[in-house]
Amino acid sequence: MTTKKIVLLDGNSLAYRAFFALPLLTNDSGIHTNAVYGFTMMLQNILKEEQPTHVLVAWDAGKTTFRHSTFSEYKGGRQKTPPELSEQFPYLRKLLKAFNIPQYELENFEADDIIGTLSRTASEEAVKTVVISGDKDLTQLATDSTTVCITRKGITDMEIYTPAHIEEKYGIGPLQIIDMKGLMGDASDNIPGVPGVGEKTALKLLKEYGSVEHVYESLDAISGKKLKENLTNNEEQAYMSKRLATIEVNAPITISLQDLSYDGPDEEQLTSLYKELKFTTLLEKMGVEGVESEPVEVIEVETKHKLTAADLSDQMAVHLEMMDDNYLTSELFGLAMTNGERVFYVPLDDLKQDDVLKKWLADPGTKKFTTDAKALFAALAAIDIPVSGIDFDLTLAAYIVNPSLSFDDVSEAAASVGWNGIQKDEKVYGKGAKKAAPAIEEIAQHAGTKAVAVWNLFETVSEKLRQNEQYELYHNLELPLAIILGKMESTGVKTDLATLQTIGTELSSRLEHLETTIYELAGQPFNINSPKQLGVILFEKIGLTPIKKTKTGYSTAADVLEKLAPEHEIIEHILLFRQLGKLKSTYIDGLSKEIHEDGKIHTRFQQALTQTGRLSSINPNLQNIPIRLEEGRKIRAAFVPSEPNWIMFAADYSQIELRVLAHISQDKKLIDAFRADEDVHTKTAMDVFGVTKEEVTSNMRRAAKAVNFGIVYGISDYGLSQSLDIPRKEAAEFIDTYLASFPGVKQYMDTIIVDAKQRGFVSTMMNRRRYLPDITSSNFNLRGFAERTAMNTPIQGTAADIIKKAMIDMDRRLEAEGLQARMLLQVHDELIFEAPEEELEQLKKIVPEVMESALELDVPLKVDSAYGASWYDTK
DNA sequence: ATGTTCACG
DNA sequence: ACGTACGTGAACATT
């Protein structure tokens, strides 16, 4: 006989959870499916993990329940269910039917009460029960035989509440959760509780007195005048709140445990529902064949070994097919081309010898439409085949239309603008150990579909960009930039391995010593790099007090360790070990591996990735080379000019984001400060602290600087309090004073949020967009995040626009002046060049000039420049 | 594959 | 009451 195990699910709560956790997916018949999909994932996980013998999904019935007769405003003020979710409930019912899972609802009662009643009867029969919900109220049902799982983040992450866990987390028993709600109320259900009592106070009272009743019996003993007053005045309300929060465990249900047995899904029903909903991944997992939504259309691709002028026209879609996504190192296969009539594929070896084709590629007068301009340009540059006249980049265009969609494959970029005819590279080449090149015909076919997609999408996507007034941004900024970035990537940065090795040797020996010291202090060897092992040593063996927890255990992050440093000598050594270990593994060892045969590092700039319009740098990342601490900064000495008697030259914008803020917000004081070329942090300190310039201390300036950062990031008192390590209240006061003295900024912050809510997106000065669907969310966190993003993105994004424009201007200027200087890197607000010494004086003049005039703002842009024998010396 | 930590602007 | 600063990429440990 198998032991019974019953799983009870709170249908409404989980459906809501799934709906808000996932983006609004729509299948091709226009039905939203995110809640159903999320629910399905949850269900599958639960069934797999728990292996129950009995399952039930309980639903809320109707609008009113017995609780409304106690308190008519129960669950009042709730937003009504979004229609996008409502329309999914019938599918959820169908889904459960297909799973053969019983569903139950009861007039006048909530799902909670059904679950409560069943879990009580199960408990009485000592049947193991698991309750699953997104609502923490249910934790009151936890007993030795009933476990309550509450969804945490996302859809599959659950927090498991046993009586022991509740005790550990809150210091009270499961049933006292009800008392807690009675005292603190519950905003989401509109349960009032006692004003001024939140979780902290409620728990303190309950730990001392045990229940709401005992709290009131002991009123006299309670300290705190205000608290006592609030309790006294709201006694009835507290009792009522407790009643409302109590789950009914004796609901008049008409089902019993026997009715809930679960024997697995009806596969046939399930597949047909999945097909209807287009849950292809789920279908594949079930091993159902032939369900790929549409079979990819087979196009006729002609493999050509030699082209004639007649094969080529003024406008063509071209796509360079290759094995890996790193076009700088990948094996290249060949070029697919089409002008809408025939589709060719030219294998690489033929391309290399085909002068007709090479001439066409180099001709700026023939237009090339492609999937990734930079890849085409840089990959062919590496084999000395110049390309010019690239006029359309599908990935870049799709990114400008909506940067929130991430494309790690052309098929996804194409799909985002409505073209589903491309297979994923992964499907053609396989992945991991199984990755291999298929037959040439298959490669040609795959490459051909990409060229065809580009050809067919060119017009519509361009039109879409024009409609959004983003064509300029795309065509005159991003597209030319792609080529410039391609040049920079191909050029690469000369990196001196010997310098890295010298630093590395010293680091190794220091790390060894630190390791010995740490083991001695700990009394045993352990893996210092393992947060888990480190946590055990610090907080269990040594007995330090944990300050912060992570999901998986004790936090050992630097800010935590710094606070612990006075407690034990070992901490400073660990911090140093971490710092040096990072330098050794990421920078010394990591960078050494990336030096190519030409002695250079060729990073790649991702141009269609960030949400704000910034670039990012990968393989390796050259945008995060250490600078803040001297030890790390030395790494920069390894980056040197690639030619004898050349120098490194660096130029960076001073306070570009705050200048952009001054311009966008039109705050008079901020504008004046920049026009007068004042130190903006000092100026901020003067205003926030109400002192004269002479009275500003370095601490005041530091605080002001943090406030300015906060403003740019979309401020929150909590964030500022963390960065300054001050109480939250103080941080809030700083912010208020700041906003009062810079009213234009305040106005901007308020307006941008309203604007974002209304339009659904925010934009930069050059019309780069970022959509913010969460800005209207009822979830406090999501909404808060979206609001801060709304404040930050126009600033960070406009700064990104500006430097991109500067790079284009700079490239032209270097060309026009006939200079040999080369642009090598962009690090968000700075540009790094190498140049012959003789060009230094010219660069000192030209570079700041070009950067400062990239875009005209109502405040001046300011650029500082420096040069030296290595990147380290450009300071 | 995911989480934690830490490097940069 | 909620749980946070904005934007990235890489290494390492752990699942």
Side-chain angles (χ1 to χ4, degrees), chain A residues 203-478:
Chain A
L203 286 174
K204 202 184 87 198
L205 289 169
L206 289 175
K207 273 178 220 162
E208 196 155 355
Y209 304 105
S211 68
V212 173
E213 289 75 9
H214 281 109
V215 166
Y216 278 99
E217 278 164 26
S218 327
L219 256 186
D220 295 336
I222 289 169
S223 60
K225 188 161 161 253
K226 192 86 197 157
L227 175 60
K228 206 184 285 181
E229 199 181 299
N230 277 330
L231 285 166
T232 315
N233 294 339
N234 296 282
E235 185 167 356
E236 258 321 295
Q237 195 166 299
Y239 285 121
M240 179 193 77
S241 297
K242 180 173 172 178
R243 276 199 305 282
L244 288 172
T246 307
I247 291 174
E248 177 59 62
V249 295
N250 287 299
I253 55 172
T254 55
I255 41 163
S256 61
L257 293 187
Q258 288 74 283
D259 305 325
L260 312 183
S261 68
Y262 172 73
D263 305 304
D266 177 334
E267 305 265 346
E268 211 171 295
Q269 265 190 59
L270 205 54
T271 34
S272 88
L273 181 66
Y274 284 176
K275 277 183 188 167
E276 185 183 348
L277 295 167
K278 297 273 153 57
F279 287 176
T280 35
T281 35
L282 289 174
L283 281 167
E284 273 167 36
K285 262 191 211 148
M286 289 176 71
V288 181
E289 290 296 327
V291 289
E292 285 97 87
S293 37
E294 313 98 76
V296 176
E297 202 189 333
V298 178
I299 53 167
E300 203 174 307
V301 179
E302 194 183 329
T303 299
K304 282 226 169 198
H305 300 287
K306 185 92 188 75
L307 296 188
T308 65
D311 297 320
L312 297 162
S313 34
D314 289 352
Q315 301 194 343
M316 290 187 91
V318 297
H319 170 75
L320 180 65
E321 185 65 23
M322 62 188 80
M323 184 74 171
D324 301 304
D325 56 3
N326 187 339
Y327 47 79
L328 295 176
T329 53
S330 171
E331 176 192 353
L332 307 178
F333 292 136
L335 200 66
M337 314 180 66
T338 184
N339 58 6
E341 289 160 20
R342 293 184 297 165
V343 186
F344 304 132
Y345 177 76
V346 184
L348 190 77
D349 287 336
D350 298 312
L351 165 61
K352 282 181 182 166
Q353 333 242 318
D354 192 331
D355 290 333
V356 174
L357 178 51
K358 283 205 282 194
K359 186 163 167 258
W360 182 85
L361 284 169
D363 181 357
T366 58
K367 288 187 176 171
K368 292 94 190 166
F369 308 148
T370 191
T371 51
D372 182 341
K374 178 154 62 69
L376 177 68
F377 177 90
L380 290 183
I383 50 172
D384 288 319
I385 300 179
V387 183
S388 188
I390 301 178
D391 199 57
F392 180 76
D393 178 327
L394 175 59
T395 311
L396 215 38
Y399 166 73
I400 295 302
V401 168
N402 189 350
S404 74
L405 310 168
S406 65
F407 320 120
D408 37 40
D409 192 294
V410 197
S411 67
E412 290 167 14
S416 82
V417 284
W419 186 270
N420 291 307
I422 306 178
Q423 278 198 305
K424 289 207 169 197
D425 289 339
E426 207 174 278
K427 203 144 191 181
V428 177
Y429 299 114
K431 62 171 171 181
K434 279 184 278 180
K435 187 161 182 176
I440 177 167
E441 292 77 20
E442 203 177 326
I443 296 175
Q445 174 69 217
H446 185 51
T449 61
K450 294 181 187 174
V452 168
V454 168
W455 181 261
N456 283 284
L457 286 168
F458 162 67
E459 254 325 308
T460 54
V461 181
S462 298
E463 185 49 36
K464 172 87 189 152
L465 287 164
R466 285 192 197 95
Q467 274 171 20
N468 288 357
E469 298 188 316
Q470 292 184 298
Y471 190 76
E472 282 275 298
L473 168 70
Y474 155 75
H475 194 262
N476 301 344
L477 192 80
E478 297 293 354

Side-chain angles (χ1 to χ4, degrees), chain A residues 612-843:
Chain A
T612 55
R614 277 188 174 183
L615 302 175
S616 88
S617 156
I618 54 165
N619 299 133
N621 182 353
L622 291 187
Q623 289 182 320
N624 73 346
I625 304 302
I627 189 166
R628 291 174 191 167
L629 301 169
E630 178 56 26
E631 268 146 334
R633 190 174 199 156
K634 293 218 161 68
I635 306 273
R636 296 184 170 220
F639 294 93
V640 293
S642 66
E643 318 255 357
N645 301 317
W646 281 38
I647 42 130
M648 302 297 279
F649 185 91
D652 69 294
Y653 282 108
S654 156
Q655 310 290 359
I656 188 167
E657 292 186 338
L658 284 172
R659 287 171 197 263
V660 168
L661 173 64
H663 174 88
I664 296 184
S665 70
Q666 286 291 308
D667 184 277
K668 191 156 178 317
K669 232 194 254 182
L670 211 48
I671 290 180
D672 290 346
F674 280 121
R675 285 189 180 159
D677 200 19
E678 286 180 75
D679 177 322
V680 69
H681 300 318
T682 304
K683 173 76 176 121
T684 306
M686 287 159 61
D687 283 317
V688 171
F689 296 104
V691 295
T692 65
K693 193 188 245 170
E694 291 66 34
E695 289 165 345
V696 174
T697 64
S698 65
N699 245 341
M700 286 171 166
R701 189 177 179 282
R702 192 179 62 89
K705 189 172 170 179
V707 173
N708 279 328
F709 267 101
I711 293 292
V712 168
Y713 291 157
I715 199 138
S716 78
D717 51 7
Y718 182 85
L720 183 63
S721 78
Q722 290 295 301
S723 105
L724 281 175
D725 200 15
I726 55 170
R728 197 174 152 145
K729 225 176 138 188
E730 245 171 79
E733 281 165 25
F734 270 174
I735 295 169
D736 285 344
T737 327
Y738 177 95
L739 292 175
S741 79
F742 294 93
V745 174
K746 167 103 171 79
Q747 170 79 35
Y748 161 73
M749 300 287 175
D750 295 343
T751 318
I752 194 78
I753 290 172
V754 175
D755 211 51
K757 281 193 175 129
Q758 204 195 335
R759 298 200 296 169
F761 62 89
V762 290
S763 49
T764 68
M765 281 180 68
M766 298 198 184
N767 276 354
R768 187 186 303 284
R769 288 187 181 187
R770 180 173 189 180
Y771 290 89
L772 299 170
D774 290 341
I775 198 130
T776 53
S777 168
S778 53
N779 180 316
F780 177 90
N781 275 321
L782 291 179
R783 193 179 60 246
F785 188 73
E787 287 174 355
R788 291 196 294 277
T789 312
M791 300 186 254
N792 168 263
T793 297
I795 301 171
Q796 195 182 114
T798 299
D801 292 348
I802 292 172
I803 194 164
K804 283 178 168 178
K805 171 73 168 26
M807 292 170 76
I808 294 170
D809 295 347
M810 188 67 67
D811 184 69
R812 291 186 186 148
R813 186 71 182 267
L814 291 177
E815 177 82 39
E817 306 257 348
L819 293 171
Q820 291 175 268
R822 303 174 190 133
M823 201 162 16
L824 300 178
L825 297 172
Q826 185 251 46
V827 191
H828 311 307
D829 64 355
E830 68 177 319
L831 296 176
I832 292 122
F833 303 81
E834 62 177 3
E837 269 170 16
E838 310 86 74
E839 293 181 3
L840 177 61
E841 289 310 314
Q842 243 176 311
L843 286 182

Side-chain angles (χ1 to χ4, degrees), chain A residues 602-617:
Chain A
H602 299 265
T603 185
R604 277 178 304 140
F605 292 102
Q606 305 241 100
Q607 199 185 348
L609 183 141
T610 71
Q611 302 302 298
T612 55
R614 277 188 174 183
L615 302 175
S616 88
S617 156

Side-chain angles (χ1 to χ4, degrees), chain A residues 517-518 521 544 564-574:
Chain A
T517 315
I518 291 167
L521 288 167
L544 297 169
L564 293 170
E567 311 291 322
H568 201 284
E569 200 194 335
I570 195 170
I571 302 289
E572 54 174 300
H573 294 103
I574 291 168

Side-chain angles (χ1 to χ4, degrees), chain A residues 487-680:
Chain A
K487 271 205 259 181
M488 293 162 65
E489 293 173 356
S490 312
T491 305
V493 191
K494 173 82 182 295
T495 309
D496 186 45
L497 185 59
T499 308
L500 288 179
Q501 280 168 343
T502 311
I503 303 172
T505 312
E506 199 210 319
L507 285 175
S508 296
S509 101
R510 290 179 68 188
L511 282 165
E512 235 171 81
H513 286 117
L514 280 167
E515 191 181 76
T516 319
T517 315
I518 291 167
Y519 291 166
E520 268 168 24
L521 288 167
Q524 69 177 89
F526 65 102
N527 185 344
I528 308 169
N529 281 322
S530 158
K532 197 173 165 189
Q533 293 184 35
L534 180 60
V536 171
I537 296 286
L538 294 182
F539 305 115
E540 287 170 22
K541 183 148 189 223
I542 297 181
L544 297 169
T545 328
I547 294 181
K548 220 170 32 177
K549 271 195 189 174
T550 66
K551 211 158 83 176
T552 47
Y554 311 110
S555 169
T556 64
D559 62 329
V560 171
L561 294 187
E562 270 156 28
K563 293 200 176 96
L564 293 170
E567 311 291 322
H568 201 284
E569 200 194 335
I570 195 170
I571 302 289
E572 54 174 300
H573 294 103
I574 291 168
L575 283 166
L576 189 57
F577 182 90
R578 279 245 183 98
Q579 188 201 324
L580 302 184
K582 178 89 177 176
L583 292 179
K584 180 78 169 59
S585 70
T586 304
Y587 297 102
I588 300 296
D589 300 343
L591 290 177
S592 299
K593 274 185 269 178
E594 299 282 352
I595 302 177
H596 290 210
E597 277 174 13
D598 58 4
K600 293 172 162 187
I601 290 181
H602 299 265
T603 185
R604 277 178 304 140
F605 292 102
Q606 305 241 100
Q607 199 185 348
L609 183 141
T610 71
Q611 302 302 298
T612 55
R614 277 188 174 183
L615 302 175
S616 88
S617 156
I618 54 165
N619 299 133
N621 182 353
L622 291 187
Q623 289 182 320
N624 73 346
I625 304 302
I627 189 166
R628 291 174 191 167
L629 301 169
E630 178 56 26
E631 268 146 334
R633 190 174 199 156
K634 293 218 161 68
I635 306 273
R636 296 184 170 220
F639 294 93
V640 293
S642 66
E643 318 255 357
N645 301 317
W646 281 38
I647 42 130
M648 302 297 279
F649 185 91
D652 69 294
Y653 282 108
S654 156
Q655 310 290 359
I656 188 167
E657 292 186 338
L658 284 172
R659 287 171 197 263
V660 168
L661 173 64
H663 174 88
I664 296 184
S665 70
Q666 286 291 308
D667 184 277
K668 191 156 178 317
K669 232 194 254 182
L670 211 48
I671 290 180
D672 290 346
F674 280 121
R675 285 189 180 159
D677 200 19
E678 286 180 75
D679 177 322
V680 69

